[in-house]
Amino acid sequence: MNDLSLWLIFLLLGLATTLPRASFIVLGNKVALPSRLQRALRYAPAAALAAIVIPDLLVVSGSVTPLNPKLAAGFAAVWVAARWRNPWLPFLIGMAVLWALQAMIKA
């Protein structure tokens, strides 16, 4: 592969990531998305967060482990977040559960 091909690939990848994002800014309200797509896009942030967090909760030492301290701490944090609207409490309870379970496993 020569240098020109490499630069062409960089340019095309840059356009492929920039154009879809810029289209919402450039087009603005001139083009309306279908209502079904707008409803589906409301779930995109939650889906992206789940795609980042769930593998970290399930994978321990390179293999999927459904019963592990991280997953239990994640469930505790979600339960606390659903029960109380305090933004710090899920973090505190989740970390407390994680540390307690890790200490019990080591003992």
Side-chain angles (χ1 to χ4, degrees):
M1 182 180 300
N2 61 20
D3 288 343
L4 182 61
S5 299
L6 189 60
W7 280 106
L8 184 60
I9 290 171
F10 287 153
L11 178 68
L12 291 175
L13 285 172
L15 288 174
T17 58
T18 305
L19 288 179
R21 295 175 187 172
S23 66
F24 290 104
I25 297 168
V26 173
L27 296 176
N29 291 331
K30 295 175 188 170
V31 177
L33 295 174
S35 62
R36 192 171 186 171
L37 181 59
Q38 287 179 353
R39 280 194 315 268
L41 285 175
R42 287 185 202 150
Y43 299 104
L49 182 62
I52 294 169
V53 172
I54 298 296
D56 189 49
L57 293 178
L58 288 174
V59 176
V60 176
S61 300
S63 64
V64 175
T65 309
L67 298 175
N68 67 68
K70 291 191 301 184
L71 186 59
F75 278 128
V78 168
W79 181 77
V80 168
R83 180 111 165 93
W84 295 284
R85 295 292 179 196
N86 185 329
W88 291 100
L89 202 54
F91 172 75
L92 295 173
I93 298 298
M95 288 306 296
V97 168
L98 177 65
W99 289 338
L101 290 174
Q102 286 177 339
M104 288 172 38
I105 291 172
K106 288 182 183 178

